[in-house]
């Protein structure tokens, strides 16, 4: 038996149970990839099953390559189908798609081709440009639910634009068929249709795939499940491995119900992989306490033969800034003691927008870092677009900024018109700003009118740039860009708004620390955080959202921003029960990424959406037994229902114009404005948090001496210091906070910053 002795008892039973339907519910870190590869090896090596008769489906190319690589070290894997769902469907369709009226040499269209078709349809019907995104999202959503163009209007009859979408959807499908092309959703839909309607294709693949294996079964959608049900009908040998506790992608079609339907449809045997090989016992205890609150799950409890390990640390910071300081200080202590490298550490976020504080701190303290699966904060498109307006308001010669935002928001200025403008500015030696704000333009009336309107906007912003920088950005976002309307129908609109609100937080912090500083000073500071190409990504702290971190593991994990409203997040138009269960699964995934150290952090107050908000610790911390708070369940429930995006406010939790997040109606008026925060419920009294918390955190050993950092005795008010990235600065203040001395330093290029003396890479250069 090939390698069976390497498996634990439950894994062995599942591997050897080869006939019939088997469901393995595999807890985090329980070795499911090893299970799958050993089962396939057992079928081939011990039972003499032909590789040709085995199908293994995964959800990512990375997972497929890993499984294939492992099998190749064990046997000759030639002939086994190890593919993602989409890749397997392409192969099936290449053989039999002519049964559906397509040529076998069909093309698979990517985003660019799909967007071009939709744009052409919208132009034909004179639909607004913003309808493009709405239509793309609606078509993909309908396809994932198996809704055809003919069915669309009836299914979505309560939507105002259901008839328009249905007509455009139909035209889109006709355009694809005319081009003999498929989009990614069609690969699944047409494979299912082929297997349902073509007896020849169905019988061929049912005979071929005697043994079917599905990885990450909790992430399957209805169409994928229906495909594998048909493929498994003849032999019934289907082996599904998944973890309902890690089903975190329902927003993109994954159905946790498939795991439960599988048991009913196949009358399967069930094995539970509960032994965890990744984490310490203390970490698993926290994970188990959290996930047991869910009702949509098969009962299982993770355990390990690993040591108890370090106690899970739960840290409460006064503010979001101090939360970031704590995380950075802890990483520095762990790495300077030689226990870990930067690459051993990860910061996990529920919201991508929360990364800014940590990115900035890492630069200030000289810590290499990378944002996994996304862009660094100041590199995100919407942030760069807004900053381009600011750059142009300060420097009217910045043509790169002008061309970047000439159609942000859409001004119906086409590429040909932009090229004419570019050629004209070069020929006369003028900047774009000077041309569009001038009185005469050598263009037709329509283009001249659009450019004049653009110029008038820039002139007003130029005047605003001379004043308060916070007022400038609020005016830009609310009155010029109207960002809540701009991103209202964007599938990623909420995340974009969160990033822009965080940008306002950055502006506010800078203005608070740099009294009298102007917009150009702020932009200079931003440029320091944007130019980080030289950082060594091979040994860097990972910053990631929990969604993107699924499947990863790290010796040291910080799960940050653990406050109700952030994690769990609050969303409108969702079942509260279903939503909180998915958020709890997301928390479970975050916790189980940790191998040795787990830090859970939250802040009493956080600057969000233009105001300082007093926060309640996440209910998940309470469920884990790490936080105690005198907050009744009814208060939580009323607060949860308080507004479209939730929040805790006066009168039992409802909020007005300056609510947590914002409802589309109220926020449209002033989402980035100020306002006072009035806390309801029993959790906050007179603006002070009254709950307590338990923590395994004790005083850390002092870090080893570092040649790159000055000692507290070297730093005095008035001395000149040098930071290896920020340059020279003058110490203008000292303050002791906890066990650390912080220096307030006025840098020549970055403005005023407050850094922990014992950790910051600063040296005294002048007395």
């Amino acid at each position: 038996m090939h390698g069976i002795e390497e498996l634990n008892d439950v894994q062995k039973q599942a591997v050897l149970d080869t006939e019939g339907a088997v469901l393995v519910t595999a807890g985090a870190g329980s070795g499911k990839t090893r299970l799958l590869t050993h089962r396939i090896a057992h079928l081939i090596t011990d039972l003499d099953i032909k590789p040709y008769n085995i199908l293994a489906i995964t959800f990512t190319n990375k997972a497929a390559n890993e499984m294939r690589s492992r099998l190749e070290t064990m046997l000759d894997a030639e002939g086994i189908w190890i593919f993602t769902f989409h890749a397997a469907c392409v192969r099936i369709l290449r053989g039999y798609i002519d049964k559906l009226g397509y040529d076998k040499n069909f093309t698979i269209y990517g985003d660019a081709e799909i967007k071009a078709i939709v744009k052409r349809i919208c132009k034909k019907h004179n639909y607004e440009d913003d309808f493009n995104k709405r239509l793309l999202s609606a078509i993909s959503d309908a396809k994932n639910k198996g809704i055809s163009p003919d069915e669309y209007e009836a299914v979505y009859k309560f939507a105002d634009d259901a008839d328009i979408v249905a007509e455009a959807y139909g035209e889109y499908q006709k355009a694809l068929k005319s081009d003999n092309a498929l989009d990614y959703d069609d690969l699944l839909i047409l494979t299912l249709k082929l297997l349902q309607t073509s007896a020849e294709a169905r019988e061929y693949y049912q005979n071929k795939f005697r043994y079917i294996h599905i990885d990450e079964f909790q992430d399957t959608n209805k169409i994928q499940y229906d495909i594998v049900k048909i493929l498994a009908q003849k032999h019934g040998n289907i082996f599904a491995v998944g973890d309902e506790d890690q089903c975190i992608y329902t927003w993109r079609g994954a159905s946790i119900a498939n795991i439960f339907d599988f048991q009913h449809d196949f009358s399967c045997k069930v094995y539970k992989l509960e032994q965890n090989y990744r984490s310490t016992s203390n970490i698993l205890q926290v994970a188990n306490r959290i996930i047991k609150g869910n009702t949509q799950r098969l009962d299982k409890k993770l355990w390990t033969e690993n040591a108890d390990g370090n106690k899970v640390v739960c840290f409460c910071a006064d503010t979001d800034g101090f939360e970031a300081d704590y995380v950075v200080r802890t990483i520095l202590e762990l790495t300077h003691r030689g226990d870990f490298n930067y690459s051993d550490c990860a910061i996990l976020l529920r919201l991508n927008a929360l990364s800014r504080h940590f990115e900035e701190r890492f630069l200030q303290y000289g810590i290499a870092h990378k944002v996994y699966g996304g862009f660094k904060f100041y590199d995100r498109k919407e942030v760069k677009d807004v900053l381009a307006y600011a750059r142009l308001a300060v420097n009217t010669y910045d043509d790169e900024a002008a061309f970047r935002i000439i159609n942000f928001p859409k001004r119906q200025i086409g590429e040909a018109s932009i090229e004419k403008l570019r050629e004209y500015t070069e020929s006369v030696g003028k900047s774009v700003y000077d041309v569009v704000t001038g009185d005469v333009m050598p263009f037709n009336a329509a283009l001249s009118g659009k450019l004049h309107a653009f110029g008038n906007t820039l002139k007003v912003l130029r005047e605003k740039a001379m004043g308060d920088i916070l007022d400038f950005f609020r005016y830009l976002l609310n009155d010029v860009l109207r960002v809540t309307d701009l991103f209202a129908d964007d599938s990623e609109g909420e995340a974009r708004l969160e990033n822009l609100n965080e940008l306002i937080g950055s502006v506010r912090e800078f203005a608070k620390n740099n009294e009298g500083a102007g917009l150009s000073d702020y932009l200079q500071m931003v440029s320091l955080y944007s130019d980080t190409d030289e950082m060594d990504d091979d040994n860097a702290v990972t910053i990631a959202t929990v969604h993107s971190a699924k499947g990863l593991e790290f010796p040291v994990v910080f799960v940050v921003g653990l406050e109700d409203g952030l994690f769990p997040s609050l969303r409108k138009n969702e079942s509260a029960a279903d939503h909180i269960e998915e958020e709890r699964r997301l928390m479970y995934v975050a916790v189980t990424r940790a191998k040795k150290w787990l830090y859970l952090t939250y802040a009493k107050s956080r600057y969000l959406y233009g105001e300082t908000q007093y926060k309640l610790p996440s209910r998940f911390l309470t469920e884990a037994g790490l936080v105690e708070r005198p907050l009744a369940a009814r208060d939580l429930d009323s607060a949860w229902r308080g507004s479209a995006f939730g929040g805790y406010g006066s009168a039992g939790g409802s909020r007005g114009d300056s609510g947590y997040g914002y409802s589309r109606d109220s926020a449209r008026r002033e989402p980035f404005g100020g306002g006072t925060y009035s806390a309801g419920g029993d959790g906050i009294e007179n603006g002070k948090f009254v709950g307590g918390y338990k923590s395994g955190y004790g005083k850390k050993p002092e870090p080893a001496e570092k040649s790159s950092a000055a000692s507290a005795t070297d730093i005095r008010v008035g001395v000149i210091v040098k930071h290896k990235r920020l340059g020279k600065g003058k110490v203008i203040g000292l303050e002791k906070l906890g066990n650390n001395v912080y220096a307030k330093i006025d840098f020549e290029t970055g403005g005023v910053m407050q850094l922990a003396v014992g950790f910051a890479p600063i040296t005294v250069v002048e007395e």
Side-chain angles (χ1 to χ4, degrees):
M1 289 191 174
H2 201 292
I4 296 292
E5 66 279 357
E6 300 176 14
L7 306 177
N8 64 40
D9 289 343
V10 179
Q11 289 173 329
K12 288 177 185 176
Q13 292 173 35
V15 163
L16 297 175
D17 196 348
T18 59
E19 305 307 304
V22 174
L23 174 65
V24 178
T25 175
S30 61
K32 65 181 178 61
T33 303
R34 179 171 58 173
L35 173 76
L36 283 163
T37 53
H38 277 77
R39 188 176 199 269
I40 293 172
H42 170 60
L43 287 169
I44 296 171
T45 305
D46 302 322
L47 302 185
D48 200 28
I49 303 300
K50 303 301 181 188
Y52 171 87
N53 294 129
I54 296 174
L55 171 66
I57 296 291
T58 69
F59 266 80
T60 65
N61 288 316
K62 178 182 176 183
N65 291 335
E66 180 183 354
M67 187 181 297
R68 187 177 296 110
S69 177
R70 288 198 190 187
L71 279 168
E72 286 173 350
T73 65
M74 302 165 71
L75 47 80
D76 180 5
E78 185 69 28
I80 306 173
W81 275 35
I82 307 175
F83 296 120
T84 64
F85 261 106
H86 288 89
C89 287
V90 169
R91 286 216 167 189
I92 291 172
L93 292 172
R94 289 289 182 205
Y96 288 94
I97 198 172
D98 57 316
K99 305 294 183 184
L100 300 177
Y102 288 80
D103 188 277
K104 290 182 180 181
N105 295 314
F106 60 85
T107 300
I108 302 171
Y109 276 176
D111 286 344
E113 294 87 357
I114 291 169
K115 288 178 180 177
I117 294 174
V118 169
K119 184 176 182 180
R120 188 167 68 243
I121 292 170
C122 289
K123 185 176 181 179
K124 171 187 172 183
H125 293 285
N126 294 316
Y127 298 147
E128 295 291 333
D129 278 357
D130 289 345
F131 188 66
N132 289 13
K133 292 178 181 177
R134 158 71 177 139
L135 186 55
L136 283 165
S137 177
I139 290 173
S140 182
D141 181 64
K143 287 189 173 188
N144 274 293
K145 294 175 180 176
I147 300 170
S148 70
D150 293 337
E151 298 167 331
Y152 189 92
E153 188 172 356
V155 174
Y156 292 98
K157 57 187 176 183
F158 297 110
D160 293 338
D161 59 0
D163 56 336
I164 298 173
V165 172
E167 181 182 17
Y169 181 11
E171 291 187 34
Y172 170 80
Q173 285 302 110
K174 288 178 182 176
L176 286 177
K177 184 68 180 298
S178 175
D179 293 349
N180 194 44
L182 313 181
D183 62 22
Y184 265 68
D185 295 319
D186 286 333
L187 296 177
L188 300 177
I189 293 169
L190 293 183
T191 298
L192 177 60
K193 184 177 180 181
L194 174 68
L195 295 174
Q196 290 172 332
T197 59
S198 171
E200 181 183 350
R202 182 171 60 252
E203 289 173 12
Y204 175 81
Y205 286 108
Q206 286 178 346
N207 287 328
K208 173 178 173 54
F209 298 130
R210 289 182 56 195
Y211 293 89
I212 298 172
H213 304 77
I214 312 293
D215 191 13
E216 302 288 4
F217 191 68
Q218 77 281 351
D219 292 335
T220 54
N221 62 27
K222 184 179 186 303
I223 295 173
Q224 291 163 337
Y225 180 49
D226 287 344
I227 289 171
V228 297
K229 274 203 302 183
I230 293 175
L231 291 176
Q233 273 178 359
K234 182 166 187 177
H235 294 288
N237 300 324
I238 181 168
F239 188 80
V241 182
D243 184 7
E244 73 286 356
D245 291 337
Q246 296 187 73
C247 181
I248 59 174
Y249 297 116
T250 59
W251 49 275
R252 67 183 189 195
S255 175
I256 193 172
N258 287 348
I259 282 185
F260 303 99
D261 290 343
F262 185 86
Q263 297 176 77
H264 176 267
D265 294 340
F266 287 94
S267 299
C268 64
K269 301 168 188 174
V270 178
Y271 294 94
K272 299 179 183 179
L273 297 190
E274 298 174 293
Q275 182 175 358
N276 177 283
Y277 294 93
R278 175 188 301 154
S279 306
T280 65
S281 180
N282 282 330
I283 291 172
L284 295 184
Q285 285 180 30
V286 168
N288 286 328
R289 288 174 191 151
I290 291 169
I291 199 61
K292 74 177 184 180
N294 274 7
T295 59
Q296 300 180 68
R297 65 186 300 260
L298 301 174
D299 184 40
K300 64 178 180 295
K301 187 175 182 180
L302 292 181
W303 62 276
T304 185
E305 292 180 349
N306 297 339
D308 288 347
N310 307 295
K311 290 185 178 180
V312 172
V313 177
C314 181
F315 183 79
C316 173
D318 284 339
T319 67
D320 46 356
F322 283 126
E323 178 187 42
D325 284 336
Y326 168 77
V327 171
V328 170
R329 190 194 83 189
T330 304
I331 290 173
L332 286 169
E333 289 175 339
L334 291 171
T335 54
H336 288 155
R337 291 205 306 258
D339 296 343
F340 300 99
N341 295 316
Y342 289 149
S343 57
D344 293 323
C345 305
I347 297 172
L348 303 186
L349 321 156
R350 177 62 183 88
L351 300 181
N352 208 24
L354 298 186
S355 73
R356 178 185 67 85
H357 270 302
F358 300 97
E359 292 181 47
E360 292 182 357
R361 293 297 195 279
F362 285 150
L363 185 140
Q364 292 167 6
Y365 288 92
I367 299 175
H369 61 283
K370 58 184 177 182
V371 177
Y372 183 85
F375 293 101
K376 291 185 176 180
F377 181 79
Y378 290 107
D379 289 336
R380 293 168 193 165
K381 182 183 183 303
E382 59 276 9
V383 174
K384 293 183 76 170
D385 287 342
V386 168
L387 291 175
Y389 271 101
R391 284 165 45 198
L392 192 56
V394 168
N395 174 16
T396 60
Y397 297 100
D398 191 341
D399 282 0
E400 182 185 347
F403 284 118
R404 181 182 181 93
I405 49 89
I406 196 168
N407 269 320
F408 176 71
K410 295 288 185 183
R411 295 186 173 90
Q412 307 299 323
I413 302 174
E415 289 298 324
S417 297
I418 291 174
E419 190 56 33
K420 288 180 184 177
L421 175 61
R422 190 188 302 274
E423 291 173 356
Y424 178 71
T425 58
E426 291 175 354
S427 68
V428 298
K430 290 185 176 182
S431 69
V432 173
Y433 181 93
D434 286 339
V435 171
V436 300
T437 57
D439 295 329
V440 180
M441 292 184 213
F443 309 117
N444 61 45
L447 177 57
S448 295
K450 294 172 184 176
L451 293 177
H452 272 306
F454 180 45
N456 290 335
T457 296
L458 297 182
K459 282 195 290 187
V460 174
L461 287 172
R462 175 76 170 160
E463 294 172 3
K464 293 278 187 184
M466 307 301 175
D468 181 82
I469 57 176
L470 195 54
D471 288 343
F472 170 85
F473 279 100
R474 283 175 174 162
Y475 175 78
L476 171 60
L477 294 170
N478 291 319
D479 298 301
V480 175
L481 301 178
R482 302 179 185 274
V483 291
T484 50
D485 292 326
L486 184 64
F487 295 128
D489 294 323
D490 190 329
S491 60
E492 299 177 354
E494 191 171 333
R496 297 186 190 280
L497 289 172
E498 287 163 352
N499 285 330
L500 293 181
N501 273 304
E502 188 61 25
L503 179 65
I504 288 292
S506 163
V507 174
R508 171 185 173 272
E509 288 176 16
F510 180 82
K512 181 180 178 182
N513 292 329
N514 298 270
E515 188 175 350
L519 183 56
S520 61
D521 298 309
Y522 173 74
L523 293 174
Q524 181 173 282
M525 182 275 293
V526 167
S527 69
L528 293 171
Y529 293 118
S530 302
D531 182 20
T532 57
D533 291 340
E534 77 283 0
M535 287 191 168
D536 176 15
D537 280 352
D538 291 335
N539 184 25
V541 177
T542 295
I543 304 174
T545 63
V546 183
H547 280 104
S548 65
K550 185 174 180 288
L552 303 179
E553 59 182 40
F554 301 90
V556 182
V557 169
F558 298 83
V559 187
V560 302
L562 285 169
E563 298 126 35
D564 263 355
L566 287 180
F567 202 170
S569 69
L570 304 182
R571 294 289 186 265
K572 66 175 182 178
N573 299 330
E574 294 188 71
S575 162
D578 288 346
H579 176 68
I580 199 65
E581 291 222 352
E582 178 142 357
E583 290 290 303
R584 189 176 284 112
R585 293 194 292 268
L586 200 58
M587 180 66 178
Y588 172 82
V589 167
V591 166
T592 54
R593 298 312 92 197
K595 297 170 70 175
K596 295 183 178 180
W597 276 103
L598 174 62
Y599 296 84
L600 308 175
T601 70
Y602 64 100
K604 295 178 185 177
S605 68
R606 188 175 295 274
Y607 188 83
L608 286 169
Y609 310 109
E611 64 178 2
T612 298
Q613 298 180 6
Y614 294 99
K615 309 296 292 182
L616 292 170
S618 170
R619 65 193 69 189
F620 300 147
L621 294 176
T622 304
E623 293 171 4
L626 297 170
V627 169
E628 297 174 353
R629 57 182 183 178
L631 187 65
R634 61 180 177 82
D635 296 316
L636 270 176
D637 292 339
S638 64
W640 185 272
R641 295 190 297 267
S643 69
F645 284 80
Y648 301 98
S650 56
S654 62
R655 294 296 308 274
D657 289 354
S658 55
Y660 171 77
Y662 31 74
S663 68
R664 293 291 184 194
D665 295 333
S666 63
R668 186 171 290 113
R669 295 194 290 274
E670 191 70 18
F672 301 100
T676 58
Y677 184 83
S678 175
D682 301 323
I684 300 174
E685 296 177 2
N686 298 322
K688 295 183 179 180
F689 177 73
V690 298
Y693 70 93
K694 296 175 181 176
S695 172
Y697 174 74
K699 184 179 179 181
K700 302 281 187 184
E702 291 299 318
E705 287 296 322
K706 306 177 294 298
S707 60
S708 61
S711 69
T713 56
D714 296 329
I715 302 299
R716 298 186 303 277
V717 173
V719 302
I720 305 299
V721 297
K722 186 175 182 180
H723 187 286
K724 65 179 183 180
R725 180 170 183 83
L726 303 174
K728 287 186 177 181
K730 183 178 182 179
V731 178
I732 60 176
L734 290 171
E735 183 178 6
K736 185 168 185 180
L737 297 170
N739 294 326
N740 296 288
V741 175
Y742 284 80
K744 197 172 188 179
I745 305 171
D746 187 358
F747 288 101
E748 293 176 355
T749 56
V752 177
M753 298 182 189
Q754 186 166 281
L755 303 177
V757 171
F759 297 104
I762 55 176
T763 55
V764 176
V765 294
E766 297 177 31
E767 292 295 330

